[in-house]
Amino acid sequence: MNTPCYVFDFDEFENRANTITNALMDIPLTYSIKANPFLLNDLPDVIAHVEVCSPGELEICKTLNIPGSRIIYSGVVKGEEDVHEALEYGVDIITCESLRHAALIQRENVKVKTLLRLTSGNQFGMSYEDIEYIIENKDEHFSNLDIIGLHYYSGTQKNLRKINKDLEKIEKALNSLKSKLNYEPSLVEYGPGLCVEYFKENNEELEMEHLEEAAEVLNKFKKKFPLGIEMGRFLAASSGSFFTKVVDSKNSMDTNYILIDGGIHHLNYFGQKMAMEIPPIDVIHNGYKYSIDEMWKSKGSVRSNSRENPYCICGSLCTIADVIVREVSLPELNVGDVICFNRCGAYSVTEAPALFLSRELPSIYTKKGDKFTLVRDKIKASKINVKGL
């Protein structure tokens, strides 16, 4: 396995999907593929829909033969051709982000299952007044919109208090639509944005607590309204690992620097400001796999035959910003050792500034059982960054 590379574990992805659906009982689950499109290669059956937010993501679904009946087409800046292409492919549901979107959908000569997106206070979605206007004037101006319900998402890494606040806002809007226009939805698509614990010792335990707390209020909400849940980060994060090799080491001004063949152009953890947080790390060192989890559980002790040193782990880019971890204690590292960063199955592979300094994009492997499959080899960024290569 050549470094730098990502490995995405389909078994872990399916396990997380099953865990979520078991907690949410009969609430249908949607996977937001912007979190990680590579996981679409083996989509668990319990995932009812996937959410795409761009023509490019729709093209990925087409390439992987994801049926249109499993797709919700969301996102801002939809053009007329985008709406038409999605409907030609048989996309099940399209979200409406604005009055302009409503007009674009209306131009299609077919009934279109539509979710009206209620804004949470940013550039996404519409005001309640615009939603009310569309429903009130449906027969006259928007007859091609089969308005099946509302869509709402207010961000990621949310606690229970914020989720409750979201649900209160949604319920208020639905009660008002019922009272004024006698409108009742057949679907309320909601993204709870459950918190992923990247930097805490008992991350899995904490995440299951977050899920249990959220499931209690979501299941109660489902008794009032036909609820659907979409997730990206919480569903995908635990399924990914990034492997990178130590290519150099040095001591400068009492700091032990480790240089790796990866960097911030490959790896990006939400909330890891100034590289001060320590994500879950494994080190393959002299044939032994050393885990940060082991260090936490043993209160910092290490194996008796392995000396531990503090390291600053830096990437291969020519910028002082390319620091992955500012300081972490690990067994003595040598050139050729491999560092594995875990819980990076969501966003990191596509969100990092991959083209900066024209370093190679990492290869991508998927894993199912004991079988590893190379699904994308390394890509030379220089071929993208200049004409003619």
Side-chain angles (χ1 to χ4, degrees):
M1 187 181 297
N2 292 324
T3 61
C5 69
Y6 275 95
V7 175
F8 298 122
D9 189 332
F10 289 141
D11 294 326
E12 171 58 25
F13 185 51
E14 183 174 20
N15 178 65
R16 179 57 73 103
N18 287 331
T19 299
I20 292 168
T21 53
N22 287 338
L24 297 178
M25 294 193 268
D26 61 342
I27 300 176
L29 178 63
T30 294
Y31 174 51
S32 183
I33 74 168
K34 60 179 175 287
N36 188 339
F38 293 100
L39 291 171
L40 287 176
N41 287 276
D42 194 355
L43 195 65
D45 291 337
V46 295
I47 294 177
H49 284 92
V50 297
E51 182 206 31
V52 306
C53 292
S54 71
E57 288 190 341
L58 181 62
E59 190 64 33
I60 290 171
C61 287
K62 287 182 176 181
T63 301
L64 296 176
N65 295 315
I66 305 297
S69 59
R70 292 184 79 179
I71 296 174
I72 297 176
Y73 196 114
S74 187
V76 295
V77 195
K78 294 185 188 79
E80 185 172 0
E81 65 284 359
D82 302 323
V83 172
H84 186 71
E85 180 185 5
L87 293 175
E88 278 205 326
Y89 187 63
V91 162
D92 189 29
I93 300 168
I94 291 185
T95 68
C96 181
E97 298 261 352
S98 66
L99 293 174
R100 175 181 173 273
H101 274 184
L104 289 179
I105 297 169
Q106 174 62 23
R107 292 176 194 172
E108 299 294 325
N109 294 318
V110 292
K111 283 283 186 180
V112 181
K113 287 167 67 177
T114 306
L115 287 170
L116 305 182
R117 183 168 181 178
L118 176 64
T119 186
S120 61
N122 49 37
Q123 73 269 39
F124 302 105
M126 295 178 281
S127 67
Y128 169 81
E129 289 74 20
D130 283 350
I131 287 176
E132 188 179 284
Y133 174 80
I134 292 173
I135 294 174
E136 187 175 19
N137 292 276
K138 179 184 178 303
D139 292 338
E140 184 176 356
H141 298 303
F142 306 108
S143 56
N144 286 335
L145 277 66
D146 177 11
I147 303 170
I148 63 172
L150 299 187
H151 181 276
Y152 190 85
Y153 176 75
S154 66
T156 189
Q157 299 291 79
K158 288 184 291 192
N159 57 29
L160 186 61
R161 182 185 63 81
K162 291 182 178 178
I163 292 172
N164 276 319
K165 189 175 180 181
D166 285 348
L167 296 177
E168 288 171 6
K169 182 174 180 179
I170 296 169
E171 184 168 2
K172 181 181 178 181
L174 289 171
N175 286 339
S176 180
L177 291 172
K178 170 65 175 174
S179 173
K180 292 182 178 181
L181 305 174
N182 198 31
Y183 175 79
E184 295 185 78
S186 57
L187 176 63
V188 178
E189 185 76 1
Y190 172 58
L194 283 183
C195 184
V196 173
E197 299 291 355
Y198 290 116
F199 313 118
K200 293 183 179 178
E201 174 185 348
N202 53 337
N203 43 38
E204 184 71 23
E205 180 183 337
L206 287 171
E207 287 177 9
M208 291 305 100
E209 289 178 7
H210 299 329
L211 176 60
E212 185 178 341
E213 290 176 345
E216 183 176 352
V217 298
L218 293 171
N219 287 325
K220 285 181 179 178
F221 191 86
K222 175 66 166 62
K223 293 177 180 178
K224 302 177 186 177
F225 304 101
L227 182 63
I229 292 297
E230 66 181 47
M231 290 184 176
R233 186 184 304 278
F234 193 82
L235 187 50
S238 61
S239 64
S241 298
F242 178 70
F243 292 81
T244 179
K245 190 176 296 182
V246 177
V247 294
D248 203 352
S249 63
K250 55 189 171 184
N251 181 281
S252 179
M253 300 180 70
D254 295 325
T255 298
N256 295 318
Y257 289 99
I258 288 294
L259 286 303
I260 57 176
D261 59 4
I264 59 171
H265 54 316
H266 298 154
L267 187 66
N268 180 26
Y269 282 102
F270 185 94
Q272 195 187 18
K273 296 177 181 177
M274 303 297 292
M276 299 302 291
E277 301 283 2
I278 301 173
I281 300 173
D282 293 332
V283 175
I284 303 172
H285 171 69
N286 292 334
Y288 173 73
K289 189 175 181 180
Y290 174 88
S291 171
I292 281 290
D293 288 338
E294 293 175 7
M295 180 182 74
W296 275 327
K297 291 172 184 175
S298 60
K299 305 302 181 185
S301 65
V302 295
R303 298 181 313 134
S304 59
N305 61 342
S306 178
R307 196 175 88 188
E308 190 177 74
N309 292 320
Y311 290 107
C312 178
I313 303 176
C314 302
S316 57
L317 299 180
C318 192
T319 168
I320 59 173
D322 194 7
V323 180
I324 303 296
V325 182
R326 188 70 55 184
E327 183 175 335
V328 58
S329 292
L330 295 171
E332 186 172 2
L333 293 172
N334 302 310
V335 171
D337 288 342
V338 173
I339 301 175
C340 171
F341 293 89
N342 296 308
R343 302 182 75 76
C344 55
Y347 293 100
S348 187
V349 66
T350 54
E351 197 173 44
L355 300 183
F356 186 47
L357 277 168
S358 296
R359 289 280 187 178
E360 287 184 323
L361 278 69
S363 52
I364 308 291
Y365 292 84
T366 56
K367 177 180 179 292
K368 191 172 181 65
D370 295 327
K371 182 181 179 182
F372 289 82
T373 302
L374 177 66
V375 296
R376 189 190 79 187
D377 210 344
K378 292 179 182 177
I379 298 174
K380 289 189 175 182
S382 55
K383 289 188 174 183
I384 302 172
N385 285 345
V386 69
K387 181 180 178 180
L389 275 183

